[in-house]
Amino acid sequence: MSERKPGRILLSVQGFEPKKWQDLLSAGHEVVLSPGGEADAIDYAVVWKHEHGLLAKLPGLKAIFSIGAGVDHVLSDPDLPDVPVVRVVASNLTQHMVDYVVWRVTDHHRQGIFYRSEQARGNWRDRTQPPSPDVSVGILGLGELGRAAAKALIAIGYDVKGWTRTPRTVDGVETFSGDEGLTPFLNATDILVVLLPHTPATEGIVDYELLSRLRRDNGLGGACLINAGRGKLQKEADILRALDDGTLKEASLDVFETEPLPRLSPLWSHPRVFVTPHAAATSDATHLVPLMLEQMARLERGEPLQNVVDRAAGY
Ligand code: NDP
Ligand code: OXD
């Protein structure tokens, strides 16, 4: 029987090359890509879209680390063992998301889609440009990412509102919560930014009915949607319907019901949709692995883990 090596990590990822993660996690730890014949010797799992059922076969597992801030890909495993699930909270990832949100908000506000299309036709044509304090940006989800995005948007001058599950106070942000807070929040929002997790309560929330409650008489020429949360939050057929009947003016979508976005999706070629390939805030091993290793060290020292997911809430 082989000697038990403490701190052995199972790295189980789908959709990208694990080598960089494996190399960096190997600093002081043995890292395997499959449990092989020593499933009982695995202490930690570092996962992105792991094979469901795999983690239930690891009797010595102490904690599961999500490679992303979202943990829907972990919690959807029906056989998830009852150990802490740790998600990413990292300044590097947060900054990437802030950059993306500021980029898309300012582009919609300053009519980027319109001007790019006018340039392509050689048209010298101006369009209304209300100043940022006259533009209301509503953020669905004021967590780590939503709060940081709000702060950056406030610094530029936008009128920022936010919606959460539980009541929250955030400096400079008009906050709303729960079902009763959603309609007043939407009615006062010109540009909607979605930074919610995907949970049973949020699935499909961005539908035609929700979009129709946004403010449209705002000087921007209509309401705009930015979704960088999860694709399963949105109903793409409803977004297309809303774009085509004027309920929605434009959309920036980073996440999709099916990823990669199928080649035949009409979203690819819609003139008022800006598509990015789930790239708003990509997890970077260089920045995130040291945080994971520090958490494992905390656990080994008997200290509590940080950023542990609330499994009942789903995020
Ligand atoms: P947090 O867990 O810190 O925040 C989640 C926020 O959503 C909280 O404000 C929470 O409310 C709110 N929320 C959750 N459920 C509901 C609900 N039912 N009704 C209303 N509000 C709700 O998450 P992060 O900010 O770190 O990340 C948000 C999401 O961003 C991730 O789950 C992931 O899906 C996505 N993401 C996407 C990336 C990309 O590249 N596109 C990169 C990274 C993350 P409350 O404050 O009351 O708890
Ligand atoms: C995440 C993501 O959840 O990249 O971090 O989507």
Side-chain angles (χ1 to χ4, degrees):
M1 196 161 121
S2 65
E3 192 188 326
R4 176 115 166 65
K5 290 184 181 148
R8 185 180 287 187
I9 299 170
L10 170 69
L11 174 63
S12 178
V13 304
Q14 271 185 59
F16 62 91
E17 175 52 51
K19 179 153 184 357
K20 189 171 176 191
W21 290 85
Q22 187 173 12
D23 289 349
L24 290 164
L25 284 165
S26 297
H29 291 262
E30 185 180 341
V31 182
V32 294
L33 298 179
S34 108
E38 294 190 277
D40 59 340
I42 305 286
D43 297 275
Y44 305 110
V46 174
V47 300
W48 182 256
K49 300 183 180 169
H50 69 278
E51 179 196 322
H52 288 177
L54 176 69
L55 305 180
K57 296 177 192 152
L58 312 176
L61 195 65
K62 295 176 188 162
I64 300 163
F65 291 83
S66 165
I67 275 180
V71 289
D72 43 343
H73 64 105
V74 182
L75 301 187
S76 57
D77 182 344
D79 300 313
L80 197 66
D82 188 16
V83 298
V85 177
V86 176
R87 71 187 198 92
V88 169
V89 175
S91 56
N92 174 267
L93 184 126
T94 301
Q95 188 59 55
H96 273 101
M97 186 57 86
V98 169
D99 296 344
Y100 169 84
V101 171
V102 168
W103 172 41
R104 298 320 310 150
V105 167
T106 51
D107 192 54
H108 287 295
H109 165 206
R110 297 306 304 255
Q111 312 286 355
I113 288 181
F114 170 76
Y115 283 124
R116 281 190 290 278
S117 124
E118 291 299 278
Q119 180 179 350
R121 292 176 214 165
N123 282 345
W124 184 270
R125 197 150 66 100
D126 194 6
R127 194 180 250 193
T128 317
Q129 303 278 338
S132 51
D134 292 352
V135 177
S136 159
V137 182
I139 306 178
L140 284 177
L142 283 179
E144 293 293 331
L145 304 179
R147 285 196 306 275
K151 193 171 169 195
L153 293 168
I154 290 165
I156 297 171
Y158 289 105
D159 171 18
V160 179
K161 306 184 190 308
W163 183 71
T164 51
R165 185 172 63 92
T166 57
R168 300 274 177 195
T169 307
V170 178
D171 266 1
V173 181
E174 187 182 359
T175 53
F176 303 80
S177 64
D179 288 347
E180 65 291 353
L182 189 55
T183 296
F185 163 84
L186 294 167
N187 288 170
T189 290
D190 304 325
I191 300 178
L192 180 69
V193 177
V194 186
L195 284 174
L196 289 168
H198 170 215
T199 70
T202 60
E203 182 160 321
I205 189 169
V206 182
D207 61 5
Y208 185 84
E209 197 275 321
L210 177 139
L211 296 171
S212 66
R213 283 185 274 167
L214 291 169
R215 193 160 76 176
R216 277 178 291 283
D217 55 350
N218 53 16
L220 290 179
C224 301
L225 166 70
I226 299 167
N227 185 7
R230 278 289 181 267
K232 298 275 192 240
L233 301 170
Q234 73 198 12
K235 292 192 176 157
E236 284 159 19
D238 285 20
I239 292 174
L240 286 160
R241 178 182 159 207
L243 283 162
D244 292 343
D245 73 8
T247 297
L248 196 59
K249 181 180 157 234
E250 295 168 355
S252 286
L253 304 175
D254 183 59
V255 287
F256 301 91
E257 286 176 55
T258 302
E259 293 182 4
L261 181 61
R263 271 314 311 159
L264 293 180
S265 168
L267 291 170
W268 280 114
S269 55
H270 197 291
R272 283 175 288 114
V273 177
F274 188 87
V275 168
T276 44
H278 198 142
T282 305
S283 291
D284 179 345
T286 310
H287 292 272
L288 302 189
V289 166
L291 302 178
M292 290 177 180
L293 295 177
E294 171 52 21
Q295 291 259 54
M296 292 171 198
R298 287 177 69 88
L299 200 63
E300 299 296 342
R301 293 195 296 265
E303 294 168 20
L305 288 165
Q306 298 162 323
N307 310 318
V308 174
V309 169
D310 174 348
R311 284 169 73 154
Y315 63 98

